[in-house]
């Protein structure tokens, strides 16, 4: 990597931080837990940039007991010299000037300053306080900020060995900004693990020091994205060993790993410059279309597709595929709803070119693997052809069968904007909900037992499941996976889809399965924020004097006890939705004025899907381990 003489001069300056505090959502997406966790990623990404520049191989992330987080790297340390334009130390510019990301003219690829790189200054603006400590040139420097304001000029607080360099950042998210300021350890861990897979030279030390959650982990993945694919396929029936390639062309680096498993689904993750491209983009299109044409060409050469027969579709050839595609681009552009779709045409062209050449190199030498991959495509093609017929019948029939079996209690309004559908566990709760609801805008769809687990099921089973058929028809927009991709969100009949299950293990299980179904077949619903989880109360406190109060969890109960110490009250515990009468159900869970709804974010659904894979997978030992470890969480959290 070309080295430049680093001083503070190359940081670009734009504007101040007040705007960030006024409209935090514009900078970090939301002020929910997702946005909160984003603060950590933002700081970690800066350290990863230092790794990508070739100067850092260790990052420590510690969740402290007091609710703060500390991120340490062993990089060169943020420059402490005076920034010529700003007249203050460069580090102060980094933390107080909007958009002063690491524009040090280093060359190479950057995460920060790119899509997610809203900058350390945004984290600072949204923190009650933030402290940075820098070790450079044998000296230790420190500065503290509160809600973005400098508390004192950068000061020297000690000395260290000359070769001991790095940056330490500790911050406390601002409770005035965020709904909750408790970081979600599980989400952070999986993100850090992902970062380790994408950066094989990096070691990430994670530690949770919070009471009752103490945990220490080291993420170091020498085998990079190959190991990522292996992890994604853990516990599944592998068809062949992971295939891996990496090559640079036209200044764009393409890296890919894939492996087929004996399942009826594909799982392809794309990254550009370490950023997960949720909405896909040119790199994935390039990979997929080249994969399809290469496999079709081989299949023809091998006489598996005869001249008059039609080609395999893209879905056919990716049947059972797990893949990670990671490209590095000097100037990535992102588009789409959430700005996570790679837009650079050259990235698509180069990915296709590299993929084509590397696949032929591999399959020419590994005919057995090639034949197994083609066999996966053949299986898919067979089912596809059978289903293409079956599906038309099924869906046309279905339209008429729902009302007649009388399960969905629809609402009167046909204006989707104001309509909601509650998916309610159990017939008795469903009955109360039908009585209690606002008939004009609230529809009730009772579901019974456990709905089908779509992670395991094949398409025909999914489509044959009564509850799933009912939901597809009720929502009105079709479904996304499989062979037609005829999901159309504009046809959605309800603005809110609300999952309402008991606050127990079974309820959590049903909610998890529903989320898995939405994630796999209707991900748009979640992306666009249409899916919610109702939170019915656990208790009702009835005091001798004064107003009755619903309590939604044990914390609320503890608070209530504290507040009403000395006075007597009876406590009614709800075990399930079925125990509430219609009036209670309305007050606590249905009434938009008083209820508590939790909006489902895509990470929740992803986790649900992972949990489901684990719980439903055919391997017994990992399942045991998971249930054992999470038995405590199961009642509260999904
Ligand atoms: C930039 O070029 C001069 C030498 O230092 C380079 C740099 O910025 N290094 C750097 C920044 N290392 N680590 C950071 C960093 C680490 C954390 C945890 C947080 C932030 C905002 C920056």
């Amino acid at each position: 990597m070309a080295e430049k003489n680093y001083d503070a001069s190359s940081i670009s300056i734009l504007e101040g931080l007040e705007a960030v505090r006024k409209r935090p959502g514009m900078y970090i997406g939301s002020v929910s837990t997702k946005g909160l966790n984003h603060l950590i990623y933002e700081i970690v990404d800066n350290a990863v940039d230092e790794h990508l520049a070739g100067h850092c191989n260790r990052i420590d992330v510690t969740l402290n007991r007091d609710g703060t987080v500390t991120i340490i790297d062993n990089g060169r340390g943020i420059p402490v010299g005076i920034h010529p334009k700003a007249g203050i130390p460069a580090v102060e510019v980094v933390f107080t000037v909007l958009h002063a990301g690491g524009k040090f003219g280093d060359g190479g690829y950057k995460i920060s300053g790119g899509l997610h790189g809203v900058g350390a200054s945004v984290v600072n603006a949204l923190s009650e306080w933030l402290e940075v400590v820098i070790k450079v040139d044998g000296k230790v420097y420190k500065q503290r900020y509160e809600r973005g304001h400098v508390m004192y000029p950068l000061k020297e607080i000690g000395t260290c060995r000359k070769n001991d360099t790095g940056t330490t950042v500790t911050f406390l998210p601002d409770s005035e900004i965020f709904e909750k300021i408790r970081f979600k350890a599980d989400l952070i861990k999986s993100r850090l693990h992902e970062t380790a897979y994408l950066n094989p030279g990096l070691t990430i030390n994670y530690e949770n020091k919070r009471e009752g959650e103490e945990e220490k982990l080291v993420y170091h993945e020498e085998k990079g994205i190959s190991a990522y694919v292996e992890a994604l396929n853990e516990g599944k029936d592998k068809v062949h060993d992971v295939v891996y390639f990496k090559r640079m062309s036209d200044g764009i680096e393409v890296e890919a790993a894939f492996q087929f498993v004996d399942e009826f689904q594909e799982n392809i993750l794309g990254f550009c410059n370490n950023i997960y491209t949720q909405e896909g983009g040119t790199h994935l299109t390039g990979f997929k279309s080249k994969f399809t044409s290469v496999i079709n060409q081989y299949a023809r050469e091998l006489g598996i597709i005869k001249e008059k027969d039609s080609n395999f579709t893209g879905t056919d050839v990716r049947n059972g595929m797990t893949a990670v595609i990671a490209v590095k681009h000097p100037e990535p552009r992102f588009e789409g709803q959430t700005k996570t779709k790679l837009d650079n045409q050259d990235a698509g062209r180069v990915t296709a070119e590299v993929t084509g050449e590397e696949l032929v190199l591999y399959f020419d030498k590994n005919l057995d693997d090639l034949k197994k991959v083609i066999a996966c495509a053949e299986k898919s093609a067979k089912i596809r052809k059978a289903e293409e017929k079956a599906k038309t019948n099924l869906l046309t029939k279905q339209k008429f069968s729902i009302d007649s079996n009388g399960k969905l209690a629809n609402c009167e309004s046909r204006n989707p904007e104001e309509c909601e559908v509650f998916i309610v566990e159990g017939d008795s709760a469903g009955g109360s909900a039908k009585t209690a609801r606002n008939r004009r805008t609230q529809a009730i769809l009772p579901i019974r037992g456990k709905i089908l687990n779509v992670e395991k099921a094949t398409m025909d089973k999914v489509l044959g499941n009564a509850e799933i058929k009912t939901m597809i028809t009720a929502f009105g927009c079709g479904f996304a996976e499989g062979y037609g991709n005829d999901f159309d969100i504009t046809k959605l009949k309800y603005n809110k889809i609300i999952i309402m299950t008991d606050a127990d293990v079974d309820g959590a299980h049903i909610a998890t399965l529903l989320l898995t179904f939405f994630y796999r077949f209707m991900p748009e619903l979640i992306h666009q924020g249409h899916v919610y989880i109702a939170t019915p109360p656990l208790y009702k406190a009835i005091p001798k004097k004064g107003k009755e109060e619903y309590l939604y969890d044990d914390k609320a109960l503890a608070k209530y006890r504290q507040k009403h110490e000395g006075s007597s009250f009876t406590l009614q515990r709800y075990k399930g939705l079925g125990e509430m009468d219609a009036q209670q159900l309305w007050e606590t869970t249905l009434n938009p004025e008083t209820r508590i709804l939790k909006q489902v974010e895509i990470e929740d659904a992803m986790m649900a899907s992972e949990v489901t894979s684990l719980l439903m997978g055919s391997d017994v030992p990992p399942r045991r381990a998971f249930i054992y470890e999470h038995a405590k969480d199961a009642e509260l959290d999904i």
Side-chain angles (χ1 to χ4, degrees):
M1 200 141 298
E3 294 267 341
K4 252 193 158 183
N5 198 15
Y6 307 110
D7 52 37
S9 66
S10 37
I11 297 177
S12 53
I13 291 185
L14 289 173
E15 45 187 320
L17 296 189
E18 252 336 284
V20 181
R21 289 182 61 83
K22 276 208 189 102
R23 312 182 112 208
M26 291 246 308
Y27 297 86
I28 51 162
S30 75
V31 290
S32 64
T33 304
K34 189 177 171 184
L36 180 77
N37 288 340
H38 208 104
L39 300 182
I40 296 185
Y41 309 150
E42 188 56 47
I43 297 297
V44 170
D45 284 354
N46 279 281
V48 175
D49 280 349
E50 184 67 353
H51 167 72
L52 289 174
H55 301 282
C56 153
N57 61 7
R58 215 193 74 204
I59 300 174
D60 303 341
V61 178
T62 307
L63 300 178
N64 299 310
R65 276 179 96 89
D66 60 0
T68 63
V69 58
T70 300
I71 296 105
I72 307 177
D73 77 15
N74 66 346
R76 289 163 294 181
I78 308 175
V80 294
I82 298 295
H83 189 282
K85 276 194 201 136
I88 51 173
V91 53
E92 187 173 326
V93 176
V94 166
F95 282 99
T96 60
V97 179
L98 196 53
H99 287 166
K103 296 251 161 44
F104 290 94
D106 247 2
Y109 309 103
K110 288 201 179 304
I111 309 171
S112 61
L115 167 75
H116 292 260
V118 288
S121 58
V122 169
V123 179
N124 193 21
L126 302 179
S127 294
E128 195 175 310
W129 61 263
L130 181 148
E131 288 179 354
V132 57
V133 173
I134 294 154
K135 289 190 277 189
V136 62
D137 286 336
K139 288 177 181 147
V140 185
Y141 299 87
K142 181 173 180 178
Q143 189 163 41
R144 179 182 166 98
Y145 317 88
E146 290 179 11
R147 302 201 159 98
H149 298 285
V150 174
M151 286 298 103
Y152 48 76
L154 183 71
K155 65 179 174 194
E156 222 182 286
I157 57 164
T159 56
C160 59
R161 288 207 322 276
K162 252 207 133 122
N163 62 356
D164 181 9
T165 62
T167 304
T168 301
V169 174
T170 301
F171 65 92
L172 177 68
D174 193 345
S175 53
E176 287 177 5
I177 302 277
F178 294 94
E179 290 162 6
K180 294 182 202 146
I181 58 164
R182 188 176 174 76
F183 297 113
K184 258 273 203 273
D186 280 348
L187 293 177
I188 288 158
K189 274 157 59 181
S190 66
R191 167 73 180 245
L192 292 178
H193 203 164
E194 183 176 284
T195 303
Y197 283 125
L198 292 167
N199 299 280
L202 189 60
T203 300
I204 302 178
N205 298 302
Y206 164 85
E207 184 169 5
N208 189 346
K209 291 184 172 169
R210 300 189 305 199
E211 203 171 340
E213 311 186 343
E214 289 84 354
E215 184 174 31
K216 247 177 131 160
L217 294 165
V218 179
Y219 295 117
H220 178 70
E221 297 291 351
E222 253 162 59
K223 285 168 66 198
I225 60 170
S226 296
Y228 199 173
V229 168
E230 268 168 18
L232 291 167
N233 282 347
E234 203 186 301
K236 298 186 178 171
D237 251 343
K238 287 92 163 169
V239 171
H240 61 94
D241 288 340
V242 176
V243 179
Y244 170 84
F245 56 83
K246 172 167 149 177
R247 203 198 289 184
M248 179 97 165
S249 176
D250 275 357
I252 298 164
E253 185 188 286
V254 178
E255 200 186 0
F258 69 86
Q259 181 181 45
F260 282 76
V261 291
D262 193 13
E263 297 206 1
F264 286 95
Q265 54 172 282
E266 60 177 78
N267 188 10
I268 303 178
L269 308 181
F271 296 85
C272 177
N273 296 6
N274 278 343
I275 295 161
Y276 174 51
T277 46
Q278 180 137 62
E279 297 171 282
T282 52
H283 54 332
L284 292 195
T285 318
F287 174 83
K288 289 179 185 176
S289 64
K290 186 55 86 174
F291 202 95
T292 307
S293 63
V294 167
I295 294 298
N296 273 312
Q297 200 174 335
Y298 273 119
R300 246 168 231 289
E301 280 170 19
L302 292 170
I304 294 167
I305 301 179
K306 307 282 184 318
E307 208 58 63
K308 55 183 184 328
D309 283 351
S310 58
N311 275 347
F312 291 127
T313 64
T315 311
D316 290 342
V317 303
R318 293 190 300 276
N319 176 37
M321 176 194 271
T322 303
V324 174
I325 318 297
V327 302
K328 299 239 165 67
H329 194 288
E331 283 175 48
R333 277 194 321 273
F334 298 93
E335 53 154 28
Q337 282 258 336
T338 53
K339 293 268 177 287
T340 56
K341 185 174 180 186
L342 185 63
D343 187 39
N344 304 66
Q345 292 309 311
D346 53 358
R349 181 176 50 75
V350 169
T351 307
E353 169 198 311
V354 170
T355 301
E357 290 173 13
E358 292 285 344
L359 283 182
V360 170
L361 276 177
Y362 183 82
F363 284 137
D364 275 355
K365 280 200 205 124
N366 297 278
L367 273 181
D368 279 353
D369 286 1
L370 172 64
K371 284 178 188 161
K372 288 177 194 159
V373 167
I374 292 178
C376 291
E378 283 182 281
K379 260 202 261 176
S380 160
K382 218 167 154 185
I383 296 179
R384 166 171 56 90
K385 282 169 193 161
E387 282 185 357
E388 270 162 8
K389 284 186 201 150
K391 204 180 97 183
T392 20
N393 294 343
L394 187 95
L395 289 181
T396 40
K397 263 195 217 148
Q398 212 179 267
K399 258 183 208 152
F400 303 99
S401 68
I402 297 309
D403 285 351
S404 61
N405 81 15
K407 276 186 109 188
L408 171 77
N410 212 349
C411 52
E412 291 155 9
S413 166
R414 287 291 172 267
N415 173 10
E417 273 296 305
E418 59 174 359
C419 292
E420 312 177 330
V421 60
F422 287 80
I423 304 174
V424 183
E425 172 190 1
D427 285 339
S428 78
S432 303
K434 282 181 190 176
T435 317
R437 70 193 169 124
N438 171 350
R439 306 184 149 262
R440 212 178 65 74
T441 58
Q442 295 180 320
I444 306 291
L445 179 60
I447 55 165
R448 217 174 328 178
K450 306 247 154 102
I451 69 156
L452 185 73
N453 174 23
V454 289
E455 285 285 343
K456 227 16 200 173
T458 59
M459 279 299 289
D460 48 347
K461 273 201 209 145
V462 169
L463 290 171
N465 176 273
E467 279 81 6
I468 286 191
K469 275 199 276 189
T470 309
M471 275 191 279
I472 293 172
T473 316
F475 298 171
C477 35
F479 59 98
E481 188 161 318
Y483 309 105
N485 204 359
D486 38 17
F487 185 81
D488 182 358
I489 193 132
T490 62
K491 299 216 173 97
L492 182 63
K493 292 188 202 153
Y494 309 94
N495 185 37
K496 289 195 173 74
I497 294 163
I498 302 165
I499 299 173
M500 194 165 138
T501 57
D502 288 340
D504 60 13
V505 177
D506 271 358
H509 191 169
I510 292 178
T512 302
L513 290 178
L514 282 168
L515 287 185
T516 302
F517 169 66
F518 294 149
Y519 176 64
R520 286 284 167 199
F521 293 89
M522 305 178 166
E524 281 297 297
L525 290 183
I526 301 170
H527 280 301
Q528 300 201 9
H530 292 294
V531 183
Y532 297 81
I533 292 180
T535 48
L538 285 183
Y539 308 100
K540 182 178 179 179
I542 309 163
K544 281 246 161 69
K545 280 180 247 159
K547 253 178 44 188
E548 298 173 348
E549 221 172 292
Y550 293 102
L551 306 169
Y552 287 81
D553 56 23
D554 286 309
K555 236 197 232 149
L557 175 60
K559 247 193 193 156
Y560 187 89
R561 285 216 156 102
Q562 226 173 21
K563 215 173 108 193
H564 295 82
E565 234 191 296
S567 51
S568 84
F569 61 91
T570 40
L571 195 65
Q572 198 177 332
R573 189 192 159 92
Y574 297 115
K575 290 221 185 65
L577 295 163
E579 283 188 8
M580 275 187 268
D581 62 30
Q583 178 59 26
Q584 289 170 326
L585 203 59
W586 166 253
E587 279 174 38
T588 60
T589 318
L590 294 173
N591 183 357
E593 305 282 312
T594 50
R595 71 188 180 196
I596 300 176
L597 287 187
K598 206 175 100 189
Q599 193 171 36
V600 174
E601 292 181 305
I602 198 74
E603 278 83 357
D604 301 322
M606 252 158 80
M607 295 269 287
S609 158
E610 270 168 34
V611 168
T612 307
S613 305
L614 205 56
L615 288 173
M616 298 298 147
S618 27
D619 279 1
V620 178
R623 176 163 30 159
R624 277 258 180 83
F626 181 87
I627 292 173
Y628 179 74
E629 276 176 38
H630 290 78
K632 269 198 310 194
D633 313 350
E635 275 203 60
L636 296 171
D637 234 338
I638 43 157

